[in-house]
Amino acid sequence: MITHSRIESVLAGCLAMLLVLGCAQHKAYQAPPDRPENANAAGLVFAGKFHSVVIADMDNDGNPDIVGGAGTPGLVTISYGDGNGAVSEPQFLPVHGEVRSVAVADFNEDGLNDIVFSVQRETSGIRLWMNQSDRKWKQENGPTRLNQYQNIKTADVNGDGHMDVIAANSTEESNAGVQVWLGNGKGGWIGESGPTTLGRYMDVAVADLNKDGFPDLVGAGWGISGALRVWIGDGTGRWFSMSPLNKGSYYGVSAGDLDGDGNLDILAATHKGGIQMYIADGNGNFNWLEKELLEEKSFWNAVSVDLNGDGRNDIIASSLDSMGIMAWLNNGGSSWQQFDGLFPSTGIYHGIALADLNADGHLDICATSYGEGIQIWPGNTGTAIKARQMEIEQLPTADRLAAMQAPLENAVFATVNGIEEYKVGPGDLIEITYWEANTPKKEEIVIRPDGKISFGFAEDLYINGLTLSQLDNLLTKHTKKYLRKPRLDVIVKEYNSKTITLLGAIQYRNRPDTGAGKYTLRGKTTLLESLTKAGGPSERANLNSVNIRRKSGDSVNINLFKALNQGDPSKDFVLDDGDVVFIPTLDKDGRRVYVFGEVETPGAYTFESGKIRLMDAISEAGGPTVFASQSDTKIVRGDITKPEVITANLKGLMENGDQSQNVALLAGDLVYVPRSGWGNINFFAKRIRPLLELILWPARLVNDWDRAYDVITNEE
């Protein structure tokens, strides 16, 4: 049977490994060297993987606000505008999972816009943040807790005066489609009435395409049966399908008048097919302009807006090929001229939103970056966009986030002469030892609520927040009045002033100091150290999304597995007084597999119920690195004392399409992609073993790890 000391030694090994695996520091934003000078009009909001952005008045002050949806970390953010182009510091609405899309509407008809969002990974489906007024929000269930939704829109599709939700479902070919949930005006849903449940869809546009006064739908299909499809609405929630406009894989779709005839045309962003345009005749029919813009490139979204004030709508598109934000000016007829210099020429971008943020009568442009947050370009008439930067701090900057994750000091400790020392506070019991004529004398004193103590040589001495060495110096100074050569020692006998709270999937080990609950801090303490002492994660703990909330209201979600694998000690979150840590539990139907070795982002990955194949897991981990040996990937399965080891040939699968190598995975499977020259097992031992020891936390598994390790090595 494994002992507590054994467990602590295992985690000590994990911590030690962090120091030798190397660092992956978060880099502050820097403009790419090839960015045109006037492209610096882009205003950096913050670093973060954002997919979606919308602009609407969220606090009923008459000014537009910016709502963003972040995948990393999982957040919905709101920055409140003042109508003059400035916005407030962000309000964070944490989400358990990756936010893919956000939209707004008043679902309970209280006069306030609510936020609907789609979420994937840790949880899935569509959720709501309901507006409680005064910038207060309450999370509610949305129309569904199932499936993977890429983009969502809001509109009254059945003419009952209540706002409805329209969503693009990308789950799988036989269980996806475009879905519509009819709202009841009370924040609830009457039912689902979408036009189709077949095929995967990445986006949906809502517009009156045939001028009958009723909303119609355009779906951006993806994959084997991918196509651009139009459904004509009859105003009652029913839909009539038209023949596909074109086949292919589409990321985004929008509607706008491209030729100035008053009819809404269709603009589509494709996978490796550029930007496609379909011109409407006003009766619901469309003619494809068989001249794509950058026909071999991929784009997430494309929208139309008049950039130069000539009365014709131009095109703005977000690139998935690291080409930044691209623009084309409308020269009339079917002629388009690529216009450089307005936007950044590098980077991956997703969502685009348009609104007049500064009340100057011109539309401003917002776009989300996959790694560099939300950027804004204020608009004006003329041939260019104003070259000025709008400073918006929506999330912590790189420096602020780094300080939150790994502070040099906080309320618990301070660094004195290179040594990290505990700061005393109210409730702590300290012991002071001093000498009189070579005779030691001791006093035990509890620090009062006001942060003061009364000592034999001093009354009402304020010591709150001092380190032990600082306290020693202060007491020595006061005793010099009474002792010629004072000698003092100060220690903390009981730590009571600094606490953290651990909640969620934490094991109770038949000891009073384990399991979920409140714990005292005795100095610089990391999340991993606290989790270890509290009993470790439970068997179904989801360490991919650990939430930490501070007294200040700041909140961050961290992937503990990824942090450990990166080998950066700063990623092992340093805790502060009052921190609340929540370890979520895997969804009941979720399956967790572990991918390690030569992949881009090793760690634990959760899949919804259904078939999980080897390439699904490796793709989630970012795919194999250039150092990977693709011929002998290992899958370790079953009882760790008698595991089954399966060898798969990724090269045969990826290059020759040999589906026999695409092994169906089971919950708990360990996938290891070795380096070229797998015989170098030392790399595996040094890099991967500490992570697996954390994964295989139950005592029996940790105890039997050596046996499993032998099985893997002998397999070779």
Side-chain angles (χ1 to χ4, degrees), residues 221-496:
W222 176 269
I224 298 173
S225 60
L228 199 66
R229 292 183 172 89
V230 175
W231 293 273
I232 300 299
D234 68 354
T236 67
R238 294 182 299 177
W239 312 95
F240 302 92
S241 178
M242 299 179 61
S243 298
L245 299 183
N246 206 349
K247 294 184 178 180
S249 288
Y250 295 85
Y251 286 113
V253 63
S254 66
D257 186 3
L258 298 175
D259 58 355
D261 64 353
N263 300 319
L264 290 178
D265 310 307
I266 294 175
L267 196 59
T270 75
H271 174 69
K272 301 300 182 184
I275 304 297
Q276 296 179 356
M277 291 167 282
Y278 300 82
I279 305 303
D281 63 3
N283 297 313
N285 303 307
F286 297 87
N287 296 312
W288 174 33
L289 291 181
E290 297 186 32
K291 185 179 180 181
E292 298 94 346
L293 304 175
L294 292 181
E295 63 272 12
E296 296 182 354
K297 300 299 182 179
S298 295
F299 294 88
W300 183 260
N301 199 4
V303 297
S304 56
V305 61
D306 186 2
L307 287 173
N308 56 359
D310 64 356
R312 295 190 291 261
N313 276 339
D314 310 301
I315 294 174
I316 303 173
S318 52
S319 168
L320 294 180
D321 289 326
S322 298
M323 299 173 66
I325 299 289
M326 306 196 71
W328 290 266
L329 297 181
N330 189 342
N331 293 328
S334 305
S335 176
W336 300 86
Q337 176 186 353
Q338 186 171 331
F339 192 34
D340 298 324
L342 297 183
F343 308 106
S345 60
T346 61
I348 296 175
Y349 287 79
H350 285 91
I352 298 173
L354 307 172
D356 185 3
L357 297 174
N358 55 358
D360 65 352
H362 309 304
L363 286 177
D364 308 305
I365 301 165
C366 267
T368 63
S369 163
Y370 203 66
E372 297 177 1
I374 299 177
Q375 299 184 28
I376 299 176
W377 295 266
N380 71 335
T381 56
T383 58
I385 301 227
K386 288 181 182 179
R388 71 179 175 91
Q389 183 174 349
M390 297 184 68
E391 298 283 346
I392 302 177
E393 186 179 348
Q394 282 228 332
L395 275 182
T397 61
D399 291 340
R400 182 178 168 191
L401 186 59
M404 183 178 171
Q405 289 184 326
L408 295 177
E409 60 184 56
N410 57 27
V412 182
F413 70 96
T415 303
V416 181
N417 296 324
I419 301 174
E420 293 153 351
E421 296 186 9
Y422 176 77
K423 294 180 181 178
V424 299
D428 287 339
L429 174 65
I430 61 174
E431 181 185 86
I432 304 172
T433 303
Y434 59 97
W435 279 259
E436 288 184 349
N438 296 323
T439 302
K441 295 188 177 182
K442 299 180 184 281
E443 285 194 36
E444 291 186 355
I445 303 170
V446 175
I447 302 175
R448 303 197 304 255
D450 61 0
K452 298 179 179 180
I453 64 170
S454 292
F455 178 51
F457 302 99
E459 291 289 331
D460 295 331
L461 195 63
Y462 186 80
I463 66 169
N464 182 38
L466 298 183
T467 68
L468 291 183
S469 61
Q470 292 168 341
L471 178 56
D472 189 297
N473 292 335
L474 180 63
L475 293 175
T476 299
K477 177 182 177 181
H478 279 271
T479 56
K480 280 184 177 180
K481 302 175 184 177
Y482 309 98
L483 303 174
R484 188 163 50 180
K485 294 183 178 179
R487 243 181 20 154
L488 294 99
D489 287 328
V490 185
I491 63 171
V492 180
K493 296 267 302 201
E494 294 182 8
Y495 296 84
N496 299 311

Side-chain angles (χ1 to χ4, degrees), residues 639-709:
D639 189 338
I640 202 71
T641 63
K642 298 178 181 179
E644 177 186 4
V645 181
I646 303 168
T647 300
N649 188 340
L650 282 185
K651 187 175 182 180
L653 172 60
M654 298 173 67
E655 296 183 3
N656 305 320
D658 184 1
Q659 290 299 316
S660 67
Q661 302 302 309
N662 199 11
V663 179
L665 301 180
L666 304 178
D669 279 356
L670 309 178
V671 177
Y672 182 72
V673 180
R675 276 191 170 186
S676 299
W678 160 256
N680 184 13
I681 196 67
N682 289 329
F683 177 79
F684 174 83
K686 292 180 179 179
R687 187 172 179 87
I688 307 302
R689 179 170 177 173
L691 297 176
L692 292 184
E693 286 180 330
L694 181 62
I695 294 167
L696 306 176
W697 196 280
R700 180 181 62 81
L701 299 185
V702 176
N703 229 7
D704 293 325
W705 163 249
D706 288 332
R707 198 177 309 176
Y709 176 77

